[in-house]
Structures are given as structure tokens and as C-alpha cells.
Amino acid sequence: IDRACEQGLYEQAADAQNRLCYLHSMLVEFGVFEAATAILNARGVPGRMAPKPIGALPVDRARELLDRLEAGGVVGRIHTGGHAS
């Protein structure tokens, strides 16, 4: 965002800021650790990225999160067919 502003690319900076704000809202809604687990598992990183007793999102919620992140332009297609551990 900073570099885009320095180069006068204000629309690009605004787009990046909007995506960052959208990601923040998804982390708040789904939970930081739960969302991190779902995202990393979908990228092929196995395991749970949360301290006990925090569990993984149910499969349908993990898929909803990934779909919404993709629709919001935050991430590209990352579904691997797996699900959060």
C-alpha cells in the first residue's frame, strides 16, 4: 500500500486496503486461529494452527470462509479438495 501511494497508484493502494479490511473482517467473524487453520490446510499445510482447546472450523464453515475470501479478492482459488484438520 505504501509503495503504491509513493508511486501515485492511489486506486491500487485503495484496492489493497479494501482487501486487507475485508480479510480483517473475515478473521473477526471466523476466528483468527480457526481461519488460519482453514486457509493453511487448503494450501496444503497440514495440522491445526491453534492452541488447545481451540478447534478447527467445521468443514462447511471452512469452505464458506474460503469461498468468501476468494469472492472478496483476498485470495485466489485455494481449494484443494481437503478440509480443515
Side-chain angles (χ1 to χ4, degrees):
I1 296 170
D2 185 51
R3 279 184 267 167
C5 285
E6 287 175 354
Q7 296 173 7
L9 303 171
Y10 300 114
E11 288 184 26
Q12 183 179 346
D15 182 56
Q17 181 65 44
N18 288 336
R19 286 184 281 126
L20 188 59
C21 288
Y22 186 77
L23 173 61
H24 176 262
S25 72
M26 292 295 97
L27 294 177
V28 169
E29 181 178 337
F30 287 88
V32 172
F33 293 116
E34 298 90 333
T37 296
I39 293 165
L40 290 171
N41 288 172
R43 301 285 305 210
V45 179
R48 185 181 64 181
M49 315 311 162
K52 291 182 181 181
I54 299 173
L57 290 171
V59 174
D60 59 330
R61 287 283 289 165
R63 185 162 310 276
E64 177 187 355
L65 168 65
L66 298 172
D67 288 344
R68 288 174 65 184
L69 288 174
E70 182 182 351
V74 176
V75 297
R77 191 81 180 147
I78 61 174
H79 294 277
T80 62
H83 64 288
S85 299

